[in-house]
Amino acid sequence: MRTYHCFWLLFWAGQPHQSFLTPLSKRTSGFPGKEKVLVLSGNSRRDLHRSKRSWMWNQFFLLEEYTGTDYQYVGKLHSDQDKGDGSLKYILSGDGAGDLFIINENTGDIQATRRLDREEKPVYILRAQAVNRRTGRPVEPESEFIIKIHDINDNEPMFTKDVYNASIPEMSDVGTFVVQVTATDADDPTYGNSAKVVYSILQGQPYFSVESETGVIKTALLNMDRENREQYQVVIQAKDMGGQMGGLSGTTTVNITLTDVNDNPPRFPQSTYQFRAPESMPPDSPVGRIKANDADVDENAEIEYSITEGDGYDMFGITTDKDTQEGIITVKKALDFENKNLYILKVEATNTHVDPRFLYLGPFKDSATVRIQVEDVDEPPVFSRPAYIMEVKEGVPINTVIGTVTAQDPDAAKNPVKYSVDRHTDMDRVFNINSGNGSIFTSKPLDRETLLWHNITVIAAEINNPKQSSRVPVFIKVLDVNDNAPEFAMFYETFVCENAKAEQLIQTLSAVDKDDSYSGHQFSFSLAPEAASSSNFTLQDNRDNTAGIFTRKTRYNRHEMSTYFLPVVISDNDYPIQSSTETVTIRVCACDHRGKMLSCNAEALIHPTGLSTGALIAILLCIIILLVTVVLFAALRRQRKKEPLIISKEDIRDNIVSYNDEGGGEEDTQAFDIGTLRNPEAIDDNKLRRDIVPETLFMPRRTATARDNTDVRDFINQRLKENDTDPTAPPYDSLATYAYEGNGSVAESLSSLESVTTDGDQDYDYLSDWGPRFKKLADMYGAMDSDKDS
């Protein structure tokens, strides 16, 4: 028969609650009067068997946020195998065992070592076991139990946002939804009212209200006007414990903005506006600005202006400035003070976006009266016409009047006007004008054939104020007079064959006339009287402004007469009749049997096999240019052959070095290195001259140099002897400078710095021994020494 053992779990709770007990039988209220035992079978820890007692417990309760100084007592474990002799040991494992929860291994008492927070962890699952202290073998199967943290109201409600922002249209109805706020409580919502939140409004009444259970904020006042107040700050409180006293609370702020609606019509601040406009104001110029005030904003404040009536309805216009919502009054037509000096307009301002809900507030438009006073301006004279066209016949006498221009001062003063011609339009001074009455007359002869139209400008200016002036164009057309005789249309030079027959046509003539004929030109042709009877040719007038020249005889001899000059008289039919005599040149030429010209005794008119004079001249010029080019090229080649190789100014064979600083001598210059003289073996004996191209190469003759020769003086003498006997030496003059002052030099150093310090001790008598060239220098320095001594 199987033996069952019981493992008792005994616990104490401070204030047990029905909802936190796990009864296995009937409900009871209050703390149970007897111990509660958890009995587990030996084979299965999941099989629960009710004992004879009325309760069995599988969980402990522990209050959160314990504030006592001692460890908080949780409960007691006990096994029915425990005889009280200390042979059993109780072991605790699971969530927080050994750290958060400790057990007395002898008595089975469980304690919490620190304060617990249900919001961090509400339930701890642990396992209990009783083992033999001596052998360590379990005497009971391991049992699992729960420690549940008993909630207290230690968390205040927290809103999801610190600040809420919302907006509603102004003039909204009561109860209009604004925004919903939400607060959460971290306490246990299943235990009491610790997590039951109630909303209330602390600030924002009587404008807004909040639903206590949902947190929905609504309007509470009718017709809230944005123009009176736009911003509202509402404070909402969330309180747990169902809002009862002692509950915790949290607050949030809701910023509510009233948005604009078009509930205000535009209104002019004044009923009448006064403006002044000078009569000289050009069209589309602004006269003034008016503005109707609208308390609304954005599109609800947009205004459209219009002129509804008035005596200047067609003279003025009005537009809307979209940025400032002002009405800009502009001039549409030119003003005239003398014609009308006062205009009265009625201007209307209307909202472009009207809300039908607020039409009961009145018409959303307003009107005002605008008075515009036109100011008189000193205006320039005005011509009677915008332009003048005049006609005059060519050849009229000078000072002939061809027309008159008139201008008047439009002002009331009617100031007198003087006239003048703009000489930029009449550079030749062909015309002039009477400054008093504006009559235009000629000052030079006119010729239609030279210039048909004359375009001048006349200036009219006030005598009292010459700055007030105006201009008008005057177009003068020169009419034609028959003053030009007709003439040949071209120069006629023709030929007649020696074998020509009588009555043969050799040339057709035509004429032109510079004059203009309204009915068309009609020319008549005839031979001059002196040639009419004795000429070898005849002329026939074709009556169509052309004429033909015919031969009078058969055969012509170019050796007897090579050229004929035929005078022709041309007349027109206008009044007065003009005529001229033109000459036709006729050459006698040899022709073939078909009448084609072969040659004339003068230069042939047509020479198909030869070259023209221009072509011959061009060929000769090309030949001359070619010859000159060849000669120049040969000369350049000859000159280049003798050209020195060294053409750079910086590349000089012998350098003259000027020491104008206190440097290191030869080491600071690009001159000849004196160190070469110290080492004669380093000189290239085969180096040739670089200044010219030698025509015949001679190998330079060099004498042997002693290896032990270190004396520079001997070296220089040796080089002088070599140059004297060298056949390749240049024939021109060369300058060789040997700037070596040996140890026995009288002058020693020529440094300007050392000369200053030793000038007093220097004896210049040796200069007299150098010759007459240095005598003057010796006298000059000797005189300086004597001056110092004195």
Side-chain angles (χ1 to χ4, degrees):
M1 182 176 179
R2 182 175 297 178
T3 305
Y4 294 91
H5 303 282
C6 296
F7 187 36
W8 294 15
L9 299 177
L10 301 143
F11 67 94
W12 286 259
Q15 293 181 352
H17 193 274
Q18 295 178 4
S19 61
F20 289 89
L21 301 177
T22 307
L24 299 179
S25 61
K26 63 181 180 179
R27 290 178 179 269
T28 60
S29 61
F31 191 77
K34 299 180 180 181
E35 293 182 351
K36 279 69 178 178
V37 180
L38 175 61
V39 180
L40 302 175
S41 66
N43 294 333
S44 177
R45 59 187 296 182
R46 296 183 180 179
D47 296 336
L48 300 178
H49 298 273
R50 188 184 302 277
S51 64
K52 295 180 181 180
R53 298 173 179 84
S54 60
W55 287 90
M56 288 190 302
W57 306 86
N58 67 344
Q59 63 182 2
F60 294 151
F61 291 93
L62 185 64
L63 289 175
E64 67 171 336
E65 304 296 342
Y66 172 71
T67 58
T69 57
D70 298 332
Y71 289 163
Q72 187 177 6
Y73 187 74
V74 179
K76 185 178 180 65
L77 298 179
H78 186 71
S79 174
D80 57 0
Q81 299 295 323
D82 189 0
K83 305 301 183 181
D85 56 0
S87 62
L88 296 181
K89 180 174 70 172
Y90 295 95
I91 300 174
L92 187 66
S93 62
D95 294 341
D99 177 21
L100 182 59
F101 300 103
I102 60 175
I103 187 171
N104 190 318
E105 62 182 13
N106 297 320
T107 63
D109 294 326
I110 302 173
Q111 291 178 311
T113 60
R114 65 174 182 264
R115 184 172 59 181
L116 301 177
D117 188 0
R118 187 201 68 84
E119 286 69 38
E120 293 182 1
K121 189 175 180 64
V123 174
Y124 295 87
I125 300 175
L126 294 97
R127 292 178 298 277
Q129 192 174 30
V131 299
N132 188 287
R133 185 184 296 274
R134 184 173 58 83
T135 64
R137 299 180 61 183
V139 298
E140 294 282 357
E142 189 178 56
S143 300
E144 186 177 86
F145 66 97
I146 297 173
I147 297 177
K148 191 172 184 179
I149 308 303
H150 191 76
D151 183 50
I152 64 173
N153 189 16
D154 60 341
N155 290 280
E156 71 276 5
M158 299 292 294
F159 284 94
T160 56
K161 294 181 181 179
D162 294 335
V163 177
Y164 290 82
N165 294 303
S167 61
I168 58 169
E170 63 173 332
M171 309 298 289
S172 297
D173 296 333
V174 175
T176 301
F177 174 83
V178 179
V179 70
Q180 184 177 12
V181 296
T182 303
T184 58
D185 197 316
D187 293 326
D188 189 359
T190 63
Y191 175 72
N193 294 325
S194 296
K196 185 177 182 180
V197 178
V198 175
Y199 301 95
S200 61
I201 186 168
L202 300 183
Q203 177 183 320
Q205 294 175 332
Y207 306 103
F208 301 95
S209 63
V210 62
E211 292 183 357
S212 60
E213 296 182 357
T214 62
V216 174
I217 301 175
K218 297 181 179 180
T219 58
L221 190 63
L222 184 65
N223 295 334
M224 287 189 291
D225 192 0
R226 185 199 66 84
E227 286 72 35
N228 292 332
R229 182 176 178 182
E230 183 178 5
Q231 298 287 340
Y232 294 87
Q233 191 176 69
V234 179
V235 178
I236 302 297
Q237 182 189 61
K239 190 174 184 181
D240 59 12
M241 298 299 292
Q244 298 177 3
M245 184 177 297
L248 302 179
S249 63
T251 60
T252 187
T253 301
V254 182
N255 295 322
I256 302 174
T257 303
L258 297 184
T259 59
D260 185 60
V261 297
N262 193 8
D263 59 339
N264 293 279
R267 292 289 180 263
F268 282 106
Q270 58 193 67
S271 60
T272 304
Y273 292 85
Q274 296 278 353
F275 295 104
R276 292 182 176 272
E279 62 176 339
S280 60
M281 180 175 289
D284 297 329
S285 298
V287 176
R289 291 173 175 252
I290 61 175
K291 183 177 181 180
N293 297 326
D294 194 325
D296 298 321
V297 294
D298 298 333
E299 67 175 13
N300 296 320
E302 291 181 1
I303 300 174
E304 189 71 28
Y305 296 91
S306 61
I307 298 176
T308 57
E309 58 183 69
D311 52 2
Y313 183 83
D314 59 339
M315 296 293 297
F316 299 92
I318 188 168
T319 58
T320 303
D321 188 335
K322 298 301 181 182
D323 296 330
T324 62
Q325 296 300 316
E326 293 178 314
I328 306 174
I329 301 175
T330 57
V331 177
K332 294 171 62 177
K333 297 181 180 180
L335 302 176
D336 189 358
F337 173 82
E338 289 73 25
N339 185 26
K340 187 175 179 62
N341 57 19
L342 178 63
Y343 293 91
I344 300 176
L345 309 175
K346 184 178 181 181
V347 178
E348 188 174 78
T350 307
N351 274 140
T352 56
H353 300 84
V354 179
D355 194 335
R357 297 177 299 169
F358 305 104
L359 291 177
Y360 68 91
L361 297 177
F364 280 76
K365 60 183 179 180
D366 195 14
S367 60
T369 301
V370 178
R371 297 170 60 88
I372 301 176
Q373 182 72 43
V374 180
E375 296 180 340
D376 187 22
V377 176
D378 189 6
E379 299 175 274
V382 178
F383 284 94
S384 59
R385 300 179 190 175
Y388 292 86
I389 299 178
M390 301 179 182
E391 294 180 348
V392 59
K393 289 185 177 183
E394 64 176 332
V396 296
I398 296 176
N399 296 328
T400 300
V401 176
I402 59 177
T404 303
V405 297
T406 57
Q408 292 183 351
D409 183 11
D411 299 323
K414 300 296 180 183
N415 293 323
V417 177
K418 65 177 181 179
Y419 303 92
S420 61
V421 176
D422 186 355
R423 291 305 172 188
H424 293 90
T425 61
D426 186 20
M427 301 292 290
D428 296 330
R429 296 181 175 270
V430 180
F431 303 96
N432 212 334
I433 190 171
N434 189 307
S435 62
N437 56 22
S439 60
I440 300 174
F441 54 91
T442 61
S443 58
K444 287 184 179 181
L446 301 177
D447 186 7
R448 188 199 69 86
E449 287 71 37
T450 302
L451 187 60
L452 177 61
W453 285 92
H454 293 268
N455 303 327
I456 66 173
T457 300
V458 176
I459 303 173
E462 295 182 8
I463 296 178
N464 298 334
N465 186 9
K467 293 183 179 180
Q468 294 296 334
S469 62
S470 57
R471 297 167 174 263
V472 68
V474 179
F475 305 103
I476 303 173
K477 182 178 182 182
V478 181
L479 301 178
D480 184 48
V481 174
N482 191 23
D483 57 348
N484 291 279
E487 55 188 14
F488 281 150
M490 58 181 292
F491 175 74
Y492 289 103
E493 183 176 7
T494 185
F495 69 95
V496 62
C497 294
E498 288 182 310
N499 56 358
K501 297 179 180 180
E503 303 298 328
Q504 182 178 346
L505 177 66
I506 62 173
Q507 182 66 49
T508 300
L509 306 176
S510 63
V512 294
D513 194 337
K514 294 181 181 179
D515 293 325
D516 187 15
S517 177
Y518 297 100
S519 60
H521 291 291
Q522 293 181 6
F523 303 122
S524 60
F525 299 85
S526 63
L527 291 176
E530 64 273 12
S533 58
S534 61
S535 176
N536 293 309
F537 302 91
T538 60
L539 180 68
Q540 180 180 343
D541 192 347
N542 298 325
R543 304 297 181 183
D544 60 353
N545 294 334
T546 63
I549 300 176
F550 294 87
T551 58
R552 175 174 284 184
K553 64 179 182 177
T554 301
R555 300 191 64 85
Y556 293 84
N557 192 342
R558 59 176 172 162
H559 300 289
E560 295 179 358
M561 189 70 175
S562 61
T563 305
Y564 294 92
F565 298 99
L566 186 64
V568 178
V569 178
I570 311 172
S571 303
D572 57 20
N573 64 339
D574 291 331
Y575 179 83
I577 296 176
Q578 301 288 337
S579 63
S580 64
T581 300
E582 301 287 333
T583 300
V584 179
T585 301
I586 303 173
R587 297 181 182 275
V588 180
C589 300
C591 302
D592 58 11
H593 65 280
R594 291 176 296 182
K596 187 175 182 180
M597 181 182 66
L598 297 178
S599 64
C600 302
N601 25 353
E603 184 180 352
L605 297 177
I606 301 176
H607 201 299
T609 60
L611 293 176
S612 64
T613 304
L616 293 174
I617 294 174
I619 293 173
L620 290 175
L621 287 176
C622 291
I623 294 173
I624 293 172
I625 292 173
L626 183 60
L627 291 175
V628 171
T629 304
V630 172
V631 172
L632 290 176
F633 182 78
L636 290 175
R637 288 291 300 270
R638 188 179 299 108
Q639 183 178 0
R640 186 179 301 175
K641 186 175 181 181
K642 295 297 183 178
E643 188 178 22
L645 293 177
I646 303 173
I647 60 175
S648 174
K649 295 181 179 180
E650 298 178 358
D651 192 359
I652 301 175
R653 178 180 178 86
D654 295 323
N655 294 318
I656 299 177
V657 182
S658 175
Y659 296 96
N660 54 0
D661 56 2
E662 301 178 13
E666 289 82 358
E667 295 178 358
D668 287 352
T669 67
Q670 300 297 327
F672 179 81
D673 187 6
I674 194 66
T676 306
L677 300 177
R678 304 291 184 184
N679 187 12
E681 297 179 358
I683 299 177
D684 187 3
D685 293 336
N686 295 326
K687 184 178 296 185
L688 302 178
R689 296 180 62 85
R690 298 184 296 112
D691 53 346
I692 62 172
V693 178
E695 295 182 356
T696 304
L697 296 177
F698 294 92
M699 294 302 295
R701 294 182 299 174
R702 303 292 184 187
T703 59
T705 304
R707 300 183 58 88
D708 297 332
N709 183 14
T710 59
D711 187 65
V712 178
R713 188 184 304 276
D714 296 337
F715 173 79
I716 292 174
N717 293 330
Q718 179 182 349
R719 285 291 179 260
L720 286 174
K721 184 183 297 184
E722 291 175 358
N723 284 314
D724 292 336
T725 60
D726 188 4
T728 62
Y732 49 81
D733 295 336
S734 299
L735 175 63
T737 303
Y738 299 93
Y740 178 72
E741 303 174 6
N743 295 329
S745 173
V746 179
E748 294 183 351
S749 175
L750 298 179
S751 170
S752 60
L753 297 176
E754 186 175 356
S755 299
V756 173
T757 58
T758 62
D759 191 27
D761 301 330
Q762 179 68 43
D763 184 10
Y764 296 98
D765 295 335
Y766 66 92
L767 294 175
S768 301
D769 301 332
W770 287 8
R773 296 183 180 180
F774 297 92
K775 187 177 186 311
K776 186 175 181 180
L777 187 63
D779 296 338
M780 181 176 62
Y781 278 92
M784 293 176 60
D785 293 339
S786 62
D787 294 339
K788 291 179 181 180
D789 297 336
S790 62

